[in-house]
Amino acid sequence: SNCTTPVCTQTCGNGGNCTAPDTCSCPKEWKGKDCHISVRKQECRNGGWCIAPNTCICPQQWSGYDCSIPICHQGFFVLEPLPLQFNDNEETGTFQDLAAPKKTH
């Protein structure tokens, strides 16, 4: 065994190195005893929380690295069974489909 190699009882995470007994040297984006605490480089908006540098976990209705982009859920189509109706136009004699999907939300 090499007595000049430091030993850390914890694992130095996120690219950190064990530089002295139980001491991690962390990259600039990380801090803490084991380099598992993110140094926040931006604010996570709309209820999001920072999990890594420039990385947020966002609530379901938000996205983006800082949770600033709204996710718009569009309405959905509901098919209502309606009969075909004859449009009594003597020139064209066209049918109108009243059972076409109707947009709701």
Side-chain angles (χ1 to χ4, degrees), residues 51-74:
I51 58 164
N54 297 318
T55 305
C56 297
I57 290 183
C58 305
Q60 288 182 345
Q61 61 272 42
W62 297 96
S63 68
Y65 79 96
D66 64 351
C67 303
S68 63
I69 301 169
I71 296 174
C72 298
H73 296 286
Q74 300 298 323

